[in-house]
Amino acid sequence: MVAVAILAAGRGTRMKSDLPKVLHQLGGRTLVQRVLESCVRLQPSRRLVIVGYGADLVRDSFQQTDTQPTLEFVEQTEQLGTGHAIQQLLPYLKDFTGDLLVLNGDVPLLRPDTLEQLIKIHKENGNGATLLAAHFPNPTGYGRVFCDSHNLVNQIVEDRDCTDAQRQNHRINAGVYCFNWPQLAKILPDLKADNDQQEYYLTDTVNYLDQVMAVDVEDYREILGINSRKDLANSYKVLQDWVKTNYMAAGVTIIDPDSVTIDDTVQLEPDVIIEPQTHLRGNTIIQTGSRIGPGSLIENSQIGKNVTVQFSVVSDSVVADGTRIGPYAHLRGHAKVGEQCRVGNFVELKNTEVGNRTNVAHLSYIGDAQLGNNVNIGAGTITANYDGVKKHRTTIGDRTKTGSNSVLVAPLTLGNDVTVAAGSTITDDVPDDSLVIARERQVIKPGWRLESPE
Ligand code: UD1
Ligand code: CA
């Protein structure tokens, strides 16, 4: 039986931010959310998050996204150190007899496999505590782990408390521990704050516990901690490197990986091609044969098979098979475009459903509309969907064509097989099979000339 506790009460002074450190985002998810998600596979019996600085913000950040069993929030009103934070759990875990996995809220790249391994080794060896460590090329700022030849930990010394000689040890403490809770609970009240920061250090518990073992991770990058904006950027690079390597191994072409960013929540099918300067975010799915970019941003959208998207932005939208988007299109607010359509050249679609084989090819704003199949929207057609107070809908039937520079004043319905004359401002519904002209007739005055004032 394992319970999980996440340390998320610190401000993160070195971030120079009003936002609590653990709420900074890494590739579309907050640090603390990532840490919590790394534990999902362990199926913990309890999940406790220790909050303090910005407690309400941290609490609220979970409301929309987390679908797991209840999170318990434990308040640490004064942040007197990582050991003090864990002391706050004593009343909550009074009758708990299992192991407690403790994770710093600022170690967002942990892999679930690594945590499973940590717990396995902890149990096999009957340790008082087992912790993750690694040899860092640059260990500055991290606590150093001192072990005997059997990886049993003698002490952990924070960077600022190290002697010059101790600082030569590059083996660092990840801030990820599995504790035998009853053992830990017994010694927690004895922690002292006799260090440079005058804080109660969780790392000092290794001095009192029966047997503490260090487990080195294979790839040190997964235990990189985030203390500064620079760390955030470095970890993002690591994450991107892993994510793109995985997609490429699964059959995705990424022409210029350095110019592309992809969230690890995105799903890409084999034979998708990602062109340079393209960014894929959130819950995006892209199906096989599609070519995205150059210069595009896709977020929380579903892109079908054999779609092309060039120099365009697609948010919260759906695009079906064989459709061409761009250059310079903007789909947003639940636009849904059918198969074999063309949406291009300075066209914005908002909250609009488009049938199959329909084109909106040039210079249009289509909002709150429904377009049928085989519709042709002429260059410069605009839906006037907003009367200053409310939004109204426009419905356009199959095979209908709008002439260039038409204004469709909503609420409005154009039937099937309607033709709208160029330059019309349409304010009334138009029945099937009609031509509609709504503009001033052209007047020619032969021989007319401006009288010159002499
Ligand atoms: C800590 C470890 C260090 C380790 C490093 C790994 C200690 C004393 N040091 O140092 O050995 O190498 O992590 O990244 O534990 N927090 C609270 N309440 C507090 C203080 C901190 O909840 O009173 C939380 C923070 O929000 C953060 C985590 O604990 O998520 C770690 O705190 P931080 O100040 O970043 O510790 P480090 O100095 O990095
Ligand atoms: Ca830290």
Side-chain angles (χ1 to χ4, degrees), residues 5-6 19 22 29 44 78 209 366 369 433 449:
I6 297 177
L19 194 66
V22 296
R29 281 180 287 153
E78 258 186 304
L209 292 165
I366 308 291
D433 298 303
R449 188 172 292 176

Side-chain angles (χ1 to χ4, degrees), residues 137-367:
N138 176 11
T140 307
Y142 288 89
R144 307 300 209 280
V145 182
F146 295 88
C147 292
D148 69 10
S149 55
H150 298 98
N151 286 328
L152 295 181
V153 180
N154 295 322
Q155 59 170 347
I156 299 175
V157 185
E158 290 307 297
D159 189 53
R160 58 207 304 162
D161 300 313
C162 278
T163 62
D164 285 347
Q166 285 174 321
R167 234 172 248 122
Q168 299 312 307
N169 175 7
H170 282 209
R171 196 179 199 181
I172 68 95
N173 167 34
V176 177
Y177 323 79
C178 188
F179 288 102
N180 174 314
W181 171 253
Q183 267 196 49
L184 181 67
K186 212 180 294 162
I187 56 134
L188 268 178
D190 301 335
L191 286 178
K192 299 195 176 56
D194 51 2
N195 51 57
D196 184 57
Q197 291 195 96
Q198 307 205 326
E199 284 186 357
Y200 297 92
Y201 286 168
L202 182 59
T203 45
D204 285 347
T205 59
V206 307
N207 305 329
Y208 306 101
L209 292 165
D210 285 351
Q211 172 164 289
V212 181
M213 191 178 280
V215 177
D216 287 323
V217 295
E218 245 169 71
D219 183 347
Y220 77 91
R221 296 177 302 173
E222 81 172 275
I223 58 172
L224 285 168
I226 309 284
N227 294 314
S228 64
R229 310 267 181 167
K230 185 80 176 27
D231 292 338
L232 198 58
N234 282 343
S235 288
Y236 186 65
K237 248 195 208 139
V238 171
L239 179 66
Q240 283 299 304
D241 185 32
W242 289 346
V243 168
K244 286 181 266 189
T245 301
N246 285 343
Y247 287 125
M248 288 190 276
V252 174
T253 292
I254 305 178
I255 291 172
D256 175 22
D258 287 345
S259 75
V260 163
T261 62
I262 309 179
D263 285 352
D264 52 359
T265 43
V266 169
Q267 293 175 48
L268 303 177
E269 288 187 357
D271 288 321
V272 163
I273 298 175
I274 308 298
E275 299 257 16
Q277 306 290 352
T278 293
H279 308 282
L280 309 177
R281 309 231 165 110
N283 296 317
T284 288
I285 300 174
I286 300 176
Q287 290 185 280
T288 189
S290 288
R291 179 182 280 265
I292 312 298
S296 296
L297 168 64
I298 317 278
E299 44 188 9
N300 301 318
S301 293
Q302 291 169 43
I303 308 290
K305 297 184 179 115
N306 304 312
V307 169
T308 62
V309 180
Q310 290 185 330
F311 295 105
S312 292
V313 175
V314 179
S315 309
D316 307 311
S317 293
V318 177
V319 178
D321 299 354
T323 283
R324 287 185 282 155
I325 305 289
Y328 311 111
H330 184 191
L331 276 60
R332 65 185 180 95
H334 307 285
K336 191 161 183 274
V337 181
E339 295 177 10
Q340 311 288 339
C341 294
R342 207 140 54 83
V343 179
N345 303 290
F346 308 101
V347 170
E348 178 179 355
L349 295 186
K350 189 217 76 176
N351 183 28
T352 284
E353 191 165 336
V354 177
N356 299 325
R357 296 169 306 279
T358 283
N359 295 335
V360 192
H362 327 268
L363 301 160
S364 280
Y365 169 63
I366 308 291

Side-chain angles (χ1 to χ4, degrees), residues 64-198:
Q64 311 87 357
T65 47
D66 198 74
T67 52
Q68 299 270 312
T70 345
L71 278 177
E72 298 170 67
F73 293 96
V74 176
E75 195 109 14
Q76 183 196 19
T77 37
E78 258 186 304
Q79 286 79 58
L80 303 179
T82 49
H84 180 255
I86 295 299
Q87 283 174 344
Q88 312 309 306
L89 298 179
L90 284 167
Y92 288 81
L93 296 177
K94 225 188 277 156
D95 304 317
F96 181 71
T97 53
D99 292 320
L100 180 69
L101 183 69
V102 173
L103 303 109
N104 281 1
D106 62 354
V107 188
L109 297 180
L110 274 174
R111 291 179 315 117
D113 286 354
T114 305
L115 294 177
E116 278 177 346
Q117 191 66 12
L118 174 73
I119 290 171
K120 188 162 163 259
I121 293 174
H122 177 77
K123 286 195 195 311
E124 279 172 3
N125 292 278
N127 294 332
T130 313
L131 56 91
L132 291 181
H135 291 273
F136 267 26
N138 176 11
T140 307
Y142 288 89
R144 307 300 209 280
V145 182
F146 295 88
C147 292
D148 69 10
S149 55
H150 298 98
N151 286 328
L152 295 181
V153 180
N154 295 322
Q155 59 170 347
I156 299 175
V157 185
E158 290 307 297
D159 189 53
R160 58 207 304 162
D161 300 313
C162 278
T163 62
D164 285 347
Q166 285 174 321
R167 234 172 248 122
Q168 299 312 307
N169 175 7
H170 282 209
R171 196 179 199 181
I172 68 95
N173 167 34
V176 177
Y177 323 79
C178 188
F179 288 102
N180 174 314
W181 171 253
Q183 267 196 49
L184 181 67
K186 212 180 294 162
I187 56 134
L188 268 178
D190 301 335
L191 286 178
K192 299 195 176 56
D194 51 2
N195 51 57
D196 184 57
Q197 291 195 96
Q198 307 205 326

Side-chain angles (χ1 to χ4, degrees), residues 421-425 435-445:
S424 293
T425 295
L435 168 67
V436 57
I437 309 169
R439 58 167 138 87
E440 197 69 358
R441 187 172 281 281
Q442 179 169 315
V443 177
I444 299 179
K445 300 188 175 177

